[in-house]
Amino acid sequence: MTEHICSLVVNTQPEKRFAVETSLNELPGVSVEVNDPSGKMVVLLTHTHQNSQVECIDQIKGLQGVGATSLIYHQKISND
């Protein structure tokens, strides 16, 4: 089985950061690891297919209150 793991920095408006965190945590394979009062979040994505990650990143970019996303790290892990 193959697993794709990546991390993002998601920038939000500080007053919307908790609403954005709730929306992010509802997405499959997504967890918010850091939610800073400045509106910056560190988000971890774990999926079995890279296409799923790309679609998820696009969903995150479209969430209400999200200003920008930056891919920080991507790793493909094969458990063969």
Side-chain angles (χ1 to χ4, degrees):
M1 183 168 118
T2 301
E3 189 171 50
H4 292 266
I5 298 172
C6 73
S7 61
L8 307 171
V9 171
V10 176
N11 293 297
T12 69
Q13 300 165 355
E15 64 276 6
K16 294 187 178 182
R17 68 188 182 98
F18 292 114
V20 171
E21 180 177 19
T22 298
S23 296
L24 288 168
N25 284 325
E26 291 174 353
L27 296 172
V30 176
S31 64
V32 176
E33 300 300 320
V34 176
N35 186 345
D36 188 81
S38 70
K40 292 183 181 175
M41 297 181 184
V42 176
V43 179
L44 180 66
L45 279 64
T46 306
H47 295 92
T48 55
H49 301 289
Q50 189 171 7
N51 288 346
S52 299
Q53 282 201 322
V54 172
E55 291 171 8
C56 187
I57 292 169
D58 287 341
Q59 283 183 300
I60 291 170
K61 289 178 181 180
L63 291 175
Q64 181 76 25
V66 171
T69 61
S70 301
L71 178 65
I72 302 302
Y73 179 81
H74 173 261
Q75 177 69 45
K76 177 181 174 182
I77 301 170
S78 294
N79 298 326
D80 297 332

Coordinates of all heavy atoms in Angstrom, one line a residue:
M1 N 0.8 -1.2 0.0 CA 0.0 0.0 0.0 C 0.9 1.2 0.0 O 1.9 1.3 0.7 CB -0.9 0.0 1.2 CG -1.9 1.2 1.2 SD -3.1 0.9 2.5 CE -2.8 2.3 3.5
T2 N 0.5 2.2 -0.7 CA 1.2 3.5 -0.8 C 0.4 4.6 0.0 O -0.8 4.6 0.0 CB 1.3 4.0 -2.2 OG1 2.0 3.0 -3.0 CG2 2.1 5.3 -2.3
E3 N 1.2 5.4 0.7 CA 0.6 6.5 1.4 C 1.3 7.8 1.1 O 2.5 7.8 0.9 CB 0.7 6.2 2.9 CG -0.1 7.1 3.8 CD -0.1 6.6 5.2 OE1 1.0 6.3 5.8 OE2 -1.2 6.6 5.8
H4 N 0.5 8.8 0.9 CA 1.1 10.2 0.6 C 0.8 11.0 1.8 O -0.3 11.1 2.3 CB 0.4 10.8 -0.6 CG 0.8 10.1 -1.9 ND1 1.8 10.5 -2.7 CD2 0.3 9.0 -2.5 CE1 1.9 9.7 -3.7 NE2 1.0 8.8 -3.6
I5 N 1.9 11.6 2.3 CA 1.8 12.5 3.5 C 2.3 13.9 3.1 O 3.4 14.0 2.4 CB 2.6 12.0 4.7 CG1 2.0 10.6 5.1 CG2 2.6 13.0 5.8 CD1 2.9 9.9 6.1
C6 N 1.6 14.9 3.4 CA 2.1 16.3 3.1 C 1.6 17.2 4.2 O 0.7 16.9 5.0 CB 1.7 16.8 1.8 SG 0.0 17.3 1.6
S7 N 2.4 18.3 4.3 CA 2.0 19.3 5.3 C 1.9 20.6 4.6 O 2.6 20.9 3.6 CB 3.0 19.4 6.4 OG 4.3 19.8 5.9
L8 N 0.9 21.4 5.1 CA 0.6 22.7 4.5 C 0.7 23.8 5.6 O 0.4 23.5 6.8 CB -0.8 22.8 3.9 CG -1.2 21.8 2.9 CD1 -2.7 21.9 2.7 CD2 -0.5 21.9 1.6
V9 N 1.0 25.0 5.2 CA 0.7 26.2 6.1 C -0.5 26.8 5.5 O -0.5 27.1 4.2 CB 1.9 27.2 6.1 CG1 1.5 28.4 6.8 CG2 3.1 26.5 6.8
V10 N -1.5 27.0 6.3 CA -2.8 27.6 5.8 C -2.9 28.9 6.6 O -2.9 28.9 7.8 CB -4.0 26.7 6.1 CG1 -5.3 27.4 5.7 CG2 -3.8 25.3 5.4
N11 N -3.1 30.0 5.8 CA -3.2 31.3 6.4 C -4.7 31.7 6.4 O -5.4 31.6 5.3 CB -2.4 32.4 5.6 CG -1.0 32.1 5.7 OD1 -0.4 32.2 6.8 ND2 -0.3 31.8 4.6
T12 N -5.2 32.1 7.5 CA -6.6 32.5 7.7 C -6.7 33.8 8.3 O -5.7 34.4 8.9 CB -7.4 31.5 8.6 OG1 -6.9 31.6 9.9 CG2 -7.2 30.1 8.2
Q13 N -7.9 34.4 8.3 CA -8.1 35.6 9.0 C -8.2 35.2 10.5 O -8.9 34.2 10.8 CB -9.4 36.3 8.6 CG -9.4 36.7 7.1 CD -10.8 37.0 6.6 OE1 -11.8 36.8 7.3 NE2 -10.8 37.4 5.3
P14 N -7.5 35.9 11.4 CA -7.4 35.4 12.8 C -8.8 35.2 13.4 O -9.0 34.2 14.1 CB -6.7 36.5 13.5 CG -5.8 37.1 12.4 CD -6.6 37.0 11.2
E15 N -9.8 36.0 13.1 CA -11.1 35.9 13.7 C -11.9 34.7 13.1 O -12.9 34.3 13.7 CB -11.9 37.2 13.5 CG -12.2 37.6 12.1 CD -11.1 38.3 11.4 OE1 -10.0 38.5 11.9 OE2 -11.4 38.8 10.3
K16 N -11.4 34.1 12.0 CA -12.1 33.0 11.4 C -11.3 31.7 11.6 O -11.7 30.6 11.1 CB -12.3 33.2 9.9 CG -13.2 34.4 9.7 CD -13.6 34.5 8.2 CE -14.6 35.6 8.0 NZ -14.9 35.8 6.6
R17 N -10.2 31.7 12.4 CA -9.4 30.5 12.5 C -10.1 29.3 13.1 O -9.8 28.2 12.7 CB -8.1 30.8 13.2 CG -8.2 31.1 14.6 CD -6.8 31.7 15.2 NE -6.9 31.9 16.6 CZ -6.5 31.1 17.5 NH1 -5.9 29.9 17.2 NH2 -6.6 31.4 18.8
F18 N -10.9 29.5 14.1 CA -11.6 28.3 14.7 C -12.6 27.7 13.7 O -12.8 26.5 13.6 CB -12.2 28.7 16.0 CG -11.2 29.0 17.1 CD1 -11.1 30.3 17.6 CD2 -10.3 28.0 17.5 CE1 -10.1 30.6 18.5 CE2 -9.4 28.3 18.5 CZ -9.3 29.6 19.0
A19 N -13.3 28.5 12.9 CA -14.3 28.0 12.0 C -13.6 27.3 10.8 O -14.0 26.2 10.4 CB -15.1 29.2 11.4
V20 N -12.4 27.8 10.4 CA -11.6 27.2 9.4 C -11.1 25.8 9.9 O -11.1 24.8 9.2 CB -10.5 28.1 8.9 CG1 -9.5 27.3 8.0 CG2 -11.0 29.3 8.2
E21 N -10.6 25.8 11.2 CA -10.1 24.6 11.8 C -11.2 23.5 11.8 O -11.0 22.3 11.4 CB -9.6 24.8 13.2 CG -9.1 23.5 13.8 CD -8.5 23.8 15.2 OE1 -8.8 24.8 15.9 OE2 -7.8 22.9 15.7
T22 N -12.4 23.9 12.1 CA -13.5 22.9 12.1 C -13.8 22.4 10.7 O -13.9 21.2 10.6 CB -14.8 23.6 12.7 OG1 -14.6 24.0 14.0 CG2 -16.0 22.7 12.6
S23 N -13.8 23.2 9.7 CA -14.0 22.8 8.4 C -12.9 21.9 7.9 O -13.1 20.9 7.2 CB -14.1 24.0 7.4 OG -15.2 24.8 7.7
L24 N -11.6 22.2 8.3 CA -10.5 21.4 7.9 C -10.6 20.0 8.5 O -10.4 19.0 7.8 CB -9.2 22.1 8.3 CG -8.8 23.3 7.5 CD1 -7.6 24.0 8.2 CD2 -8.4 22.9 6.1
N25 N -10.9 19.9 9.8 CA -11.0 18.6 10.5 C -12.1 17.8 10.0 O -12.1 16.6 10.2 CB -11.1 18.9 12.0 CG -9.7 19.2 12.6 OD1 -8.7 18.8 12.2 ND2 -9.8 20.1 13.6
E26 N -13.1 18.3 9.2 CA -14.2 17.6 8.7 C -13.8 16.9 7.4 O -14.4 16.0 6.9 CB -15.4 18.4 8.4 CG -16.0 18.9 9.7 CD -17.2 19.9 9.5 OE1 -17.4 20.3 8.4 OE2 -17.8 20.2 10.5
L27 N -12.7 17.3 6.7 CA -12.2 16.7 5.5 C -11.5 15.4 5.8 O -10.6 15.3 6.7 CB -11.3 17.7 4.8 CG -11.9 19.0 4.3 CD1 -10.8 20.0 3.8 CD2 -12.9 18.8 3.2
P28 N -11.8 14.4 5.0 CA -11.1 13.1 5.2 C -9.6 13.2 5.0 O -9.1 13.8 4.0 CB -11.7 12.2 4.1 CG -12.9 12.9 3.6 CD -12.7 14.3 3.9
G29 N -8.8 12.6 5.9 CA -7.4 12.6 5.8 C -6.7 13.9 6.2 O -5.5 14.1 6.0
V30 N -7.4 14.8 6.9 CA -6.9 16.1 7.2 C -6.9 16.3 8.7 O -7.9 16.0 9.4 CB -7.7 17.3 6.6 CG1 -7.2 18.6 7.0 CG2 -7.6 17.2 5.1
S31 N -5.8 16.8 9.3 CA -5.8 17.2 10.7 C -5.0 18.5 10.9 O -4.0 18.7 10.2 CB -5.2 16.1 11.6 OG -3.8 15.9 11.2
V32 N -5.5 19.3 11.7 CA -4.9 20.6 12.1 C -3.9 20.3 13.2 O -4.4 19.9 14.3 CB -5.9 21.7 12.4 CG1 -5.2 23.0 12.9 CG2 -6.8 21.9 11.2
E33 N -2.6 20.5 13.0 CA -1.6 20.2 14.1 C -1.3 21.5 14.9 O -1.0 21.4 16.1 CB -0.4 19.7 13.4 CG -0.6 18.4 12.6 CD -1.1 17.3 13.5 OE1 -0.7 17.1 14.6 OE2 -2.0 16.5 13.0
V34 N -1.4 22.7 14.3 CA -1.1 23.9 15.0 C -2.1 24.9 14.5 O -2.3 25.1 13.3 CB 0.3 24.4 14.7 CG1 0.5 25.8 15.3 CG2 1.4 23.4 15.2
N35 N -2.7 25.7 15.4 CA -3.6 26.8 15.1 C -3.2 28.0 15.9 O -3.5 28.2 17.0 CB -5.1 26.4 15.4 CG -6.1 27.4 15.0 OD1 -5.7 28.5 14.6 ND2 -7.4 27.0 14.9
D36 N -2.4 28.8 15.2 CA -1.8 30.0 15.9 C -2.8 31.2 15.9 O -3.5 31.4 14.9 CB -0.5 30.4 15.1 CG 0.3 31.4 15.8 OD1 1.0 31.1 16.8 OD2 0.1 32.6 15.5
P37 N -2.8 31.9 17.0 CA -3.6 33.1 17.1 C -3.5 34.1 15.9 O -4.4 34.9 15.6 CB -3.3 33.8 18.4 CG -2.7 32.6 19.2 CD -2.0 31.7 18.3
S38 N -2.3 34.1 15.2 CA -2.1 35.0 14.1 C -2.9 34.6 12.9 O -3.0 35.3 11.9 CB -0.6 35.1 13.8 OG -0.2 33.8 13.2
G39 N -3.5 33.4 12.9 CA -4.2 32.9 11.8 C -3.4 31.9 10.9 O -3.9 31.4 9.9
K40 N -2.2 31.5 11.3 CA -1.4 30.5 10.6 C -1.7 29.2 11.2 O -1.7 29.0 12.4 CB 0.0 30.9 10.7 CG 0.4 32.1 9.9 CD 1.9 32.4 9.9 CE 2.1 33.7 9.1 NZ 3.4 34.1 9.1
M41 N -1.9 28.2 10.3 CA -2.1 26.8 10.8 C -1.1 25.9 10.1 O -0.8 26.1 8.9 CB -3.5 26.4 10.4 CG -4.6 27.1 11.0 SD -6.2 26.5 10.5 CE -7.3 27.6 11.4
V42 N -0.7 24.8 10.8 CA 0.0 23.7 10.2 C -1.0 22.6 10.0 O -1.6 22.2 11.0 CB 1.2 23.3 11.0 CG1 1.9 22.1 10.4 CG2 2.2 24.5 11.2
V43 N -1.1 22.1 8.8 CA -2.1 21.1 8.5 C -1.5 19.9 7.9 O -0.6 20.0 7.0 CB -3.2 21.7 7.5 CG1 -4.2 20.6 7.2 CG2 -3.8 22.9 8.1
L44 N -1.8 18.7 8.4 CA -1.3 17.4 7.9 C -2.3 16.7 7.0 O -3.5 16.6 7.5 CB -0.9 16.6 9.1 CG -0.3 15.2 8.8 CD1 1.0 15.3 8.1 CD2 -0.2 14.4 10.0
L45 N -1.9 16.3 5.9 CA -2.8 15.5 5.0 C -2.2 14.1 4.8 O -1.0 14.0 4.5 CB -2.9 16.2 3.6 CG -3.8 17.3 3.4 CD1 -3.4 18.5 4.3 CD2 -3.9 17.7 2.0
T46 N -3.1 13.1 4.9 CA -2.6 11.7 4.7 C -3.7 11.0 3.8 O -4.8 11.0 4.1 CB -2.5 11.0 6.0 OG1 -1.7 11.7 6.9 CG2 -2.0 9.6 5.8
H47 N -3.2 10.6 2.6 CA -4.1 9.9 1.6 C -3.4 8.8 1.0 O -2.1 8.8 1.0 CB -4.6 10.9 0.6 CG -5.4 12.0 1.1 ND1 -4.9 13.2 1.5 CD2 -6.7 12.1 1.3 CE1 -5.9 14.0 1.9 NE2 -7.0 13.4 1.8
T48 N -4.1 7.9 0.4 CA -3.5 6.7 -0.3 C -3.2 7.0 -1.7 O -2.4 6.3 -2.4 CB -4.4 5.5 -0.2 OG1 -5.7 5.8 -0.8 CG2 -4.6 5.0 1.2
H49 N -3.7 8.1 -2.3 CA -3.4 8.5 -3.7 C -3.1 10.0 -3.7 O -3.7 10.8 -3.1 CB -4.7 8.2 -4.6 CG -5.1 6.8 -4.6 ND1 -4.3 5.8 -5.2 CD2 -6.1 6.2 -4.0 CE1 -4.9 4.7 -5.0 NE2 -6.0 4.8 -4.3
Q50 N -2.1 10.3 -4.6 CA -1.7 11.7 -4.7 C -2.8 12.6 -5.3 O -3.0 13.7 -4.9 CB -0.5 11.8 -5.6 CG 0.1 13.2 -5.6 CD 1.5 13.2 -6.3 OE1 1.9 12.3 -6.9 NE2 2.2 14.3 -6.2
N51 N -3.7 12.0 -6.2 CA -4.8 12.8 -6.7 C -5.7 13.2 -5.6 O -6.3 14.3 -5.7 CB -5.5 12.0 -7.8 CG -4.8 11.8 -9.1 OD1 -3.8 12.5 -9.3 ND2 -5.2 10.9 -9.9
S52 N -5.9 12.4 -4.6 CA -6.8 12.7 -3.5 C -6.2 13.9 -2.7 O -6.9 14.8 -2.3 CB -6.9 11.5 -2.5 OG -7.5 10.4 -3.2
Q53 N -4.9 13.9 -2.6 CA -4.3 15.1 -1.9 C -4.4 16.4 -2.7 O -4.7 17.4 -2.1 CB -2.8 14.8 -1.7 CG -2.6 13.9 -0.5 CD -1.2 14.0 0.1 OE1 -0.2 14.1 -0.6 NE2 -1.2 13.9 1.4
V54 N -4.2 16.3 -4.0 CA -4.4 17.5 -4.8 C -5.8 18.0 -4.7 O -6.0 19.2 -4.6 CB -4.0 17.2 -6.3 CG1 -4.3 18.4 -7.2 CG2 -2.5 16.8 -6.4
E55 N -6.8 17.1 -4.8 CA -8.2 17.5 -4.7 C -8.5 18.1 -3.3 O -9.2 19.1 -3.2 CB -9.1 16.4 -4.9 CG -9.1 15.9 -6.4 CD -9.9 14.6 -6.6 OE1 -10.5 14.1 -5.6 OE2 -9.8 14.0 -7.7
C56 N -7.9 17.6 -2.3 CA -8.0 18.1 -0.9 C -7.4 19.5 -0.8 O -8.1 20.4 -0.2 CB -7.4 17.1 0.1 SG -7.8 17.5 1.8
I57 N -6.3 19.7 -1.3 CA -5.6 21.0 -1.3 C -6.5 22.0 -2.0 O -6.7 23.1 -1.5 CB -4.2 20.9 -1.8 CG1 -3.3 20.1 -0.9 CG2 -3.6 22.4 -2.0 CD1 -1.9 19.8 -1.5
D58 N -7.1 21.6 -3.1 CA -8.0 22.6 -3.8 C -9.2 22.9 -3.0 O -9.6 24.0 -2.9 CB -8.4 22.0 -5.2 CG -7.3 22.0 -6.2 OD1 -6.3 22.7 -6.0 OD2 -7.4 21.2 -7.2
Q59 N -9.7 21.9 -2.3 CA -10.9 22.1 -1.4 C -10.5 23.1 -0.2 O -11.2 24.0 0.1 CB -11.3 20.8 -0.7 CG -12.2 20.0 -1.6 CD -12.6 18.8 -0.8 OE1 -11.8 18.0 -0.4 NE2 -14.0 18.6 -0.8
I60 N -9.3 22.9 0.3 CA -8.8 23.8 1.4 C -8.7 25.2 0.9 O -9.1 26.2 1.6 CB -7.5 23.3 2.0 CG1 -7.7 22.0 2.7 CG2 -6.8 24.3 2.9 CD1 -6.5 21.2 3.1
K61 N -8.1 25.4 -0.3 CA -8.0 26.8 -0.9 C -9.3 27.5 -1.0 O -9.4 28.7 -0.9 CB -7.3 26.7 -2.2 CG -5.8 26.3 -2.2 CD -5.2 26.2 -3.6 CE -3.8 25.9 -3.5 NZ -3.2 25.8 -4.9
G62 N -10.4 26.7 -1.2 CA -11.7 27.3 -1.5 C -12.5 27.5 -0.2 O -13.6 28.0 -0.3
L63 N -12.0 27.1 1.0 CA -12.8 27.3 2.2 C -12.9 28.7 2.5 O -12.0 29.5 2.4 CB -12.1 26.5 3.4 CG -12.1 25.0 3.3 CD1 -11.3 24.5 4.5 CD2 -13.5 24.5 3.4
Q64 N -14.1 29.1 3.0 CA -14.4 30.4 3.5 C -13.4 30.8 4.6 O -13.2 30.1 5.6 CB -15.8 30.5 4.1 CG -16.2 31.9 4.5 CD -16.5 32.8 3.4 OE1 -16.9 32.4 2.3 NE2 -16.4 34.1 3.7
G65 N -12.7 31.9 4.5 CA -11.8 32.4 5.5 C -10.3 32.0 5.2 O -9.4 32.6 5.9
V66 N -10.1 31.2 4.3 CA -8.7 30.8 3.9 C -8.1 31.8 2.9 O -8.7 32.1 1.9 CB -8.6 29.4 3.3 CG1 -7.2 29.1 2.8 CG2 -9.0 28.3 4.3
G67 N -7.0 32.4 3.3 CA -6.4 33.4 2.4 C -5.3 32.8 1.5 O -5.3 33.2 0.3
A68 N -4.6 31.8 2.0 CA -3.5 31.2 1.2 C -3.1 29.9 1.8 O -3.3 29.7 3.0 CB -2.3 32.2 1.1
T69 N -2.6 29.0 0.9 CA -2.0 27.8 1.4 C -0.7 27.6 0.7 O -0.4 28.0 -0.4 CB -2.9 26.6 1.0 OG1 -3.0 26.5 -0.4 CG2 -4.3 26.6 1.6
S70 N 0.2 27.0 1.5 CA 1.6 26.7 1.0 C 2.0 25.3 1.3 O 1.9 24.9 2.5 CB 2.6 27.7 1.6 OG 2.3 29.0 1.4
L71 N 2.3 24.5 0.3 CA 2.8 23.2 0.5 C 4.2 23.2 1.1 O 5.1 23.9 0.5 CB 2.8 22.4 -0.8 CG 3.3 21.0 -0.8 CD1 2.4 20.1 0.1 CD2 3.4 20.4 -2.2
I72 N 4.4 22.6 2.2 CA 5.7 22.6 2.9 C 6.5 21.3 2.6 O 7.7 21.3 2.4 CB 5.5 22.9 4.4 CG1 4.8 24.2 4.6 CG2 6.9 22.9 5.1 CD1 5.4 25.4 4.0
Y73 N 5.8 20.2 2.6 CA 6.4 18.9 2.6 C 5.5 17.9 1.9 O 4.3 17.9 2.1 CB 6.8 18.5 4.0 CG 7.5 17.1 4.1 CD1 8.9 17.0 3.9 CD2 6.8 16.0 4.4 CE1 9.5 15.8 3.9 CE2 7.4 14.8 4.5 CZ 8.7 14.6 4.3 OH 9.4 13.4 4.3
H74 N 6.1 17.0 1.1 CA 5.4 15.8 0.6 C 6.3 14.6 0.6 O 7.5 14.7 0.3 CB 4.9 16.1 -0.8 CG 4.3 14.9 -1.5 ND1 5.0 14.1 -2.3 CD2 3.1 14.4 -1.4 CE1 4.2 13.1 -2.7 NE2 3.0 13.2 -2.1
Q75 N 5.7 13.5 1.0 CA 6.5 12.2 1.1 C 5.5 11.1 0.6 O 4.4 11.0 1.1 CB 6.9 11.9 2.5 CG 7.7 10.6 2.7 CD 9.0 10.6 2.0 OE1 9.8 11.6 2.1 NE2 9.3 9.6 1.3
K76 N 6.0 10.3 -0.3 CA 5.3 9.1 -0.7 C 6.0 7.9 0.0 O 7.2 7.7 -0.1 CB 5.5 8.9 -2.2 CG 4.8 7.7 -2.7 CD 5.0 7.5 -4.2 CE 4.5 6.2 -4.8 NZ 4.8 6.1 -6.2
I77 N 5.1 7.1 0.7 CA 5.6 6.0 1.5 C 5.0 4.7 0.9 O 3.8 4.6 0.8 CB 5.3 6.1 2.9 CG1 5.8 7.4 3.5 CG2 5.7 4.9 3.7 CD1 5.3 7.8 4.9
S78 N 5.9 3.8 0.5 CA 5.4 2.5 0.0 C 5.7 1.5 1.0 O 6.8 1.3 1.5 CB 6.2 2.2 -1.3 OG 5.9 3.1 -2.4
N79 N 4.6 0.8 1.4 CA 4.7 -0.3 2.4 C 4.7 -1.6 1.7 O 3.9 -2.5 2.1 CB 3.6 -0.1 3.4 CG 3.6 1.2 4.1 OD1 4.7 1.7 4.4 ND2 2.4 1.7 4.4
D80 N 5.6 -1.9 0.8 CA 5.6 -3.1 0.1 C 6.5 -4.1 0.7 O 7.5 -3.8 1.3 CB 6.0 -2.9 -1.4 CG 5.0 -2.1 -2.1 OD1 3.8 -2.1 -1.8 OD2 5.4 -1.4 -3.1

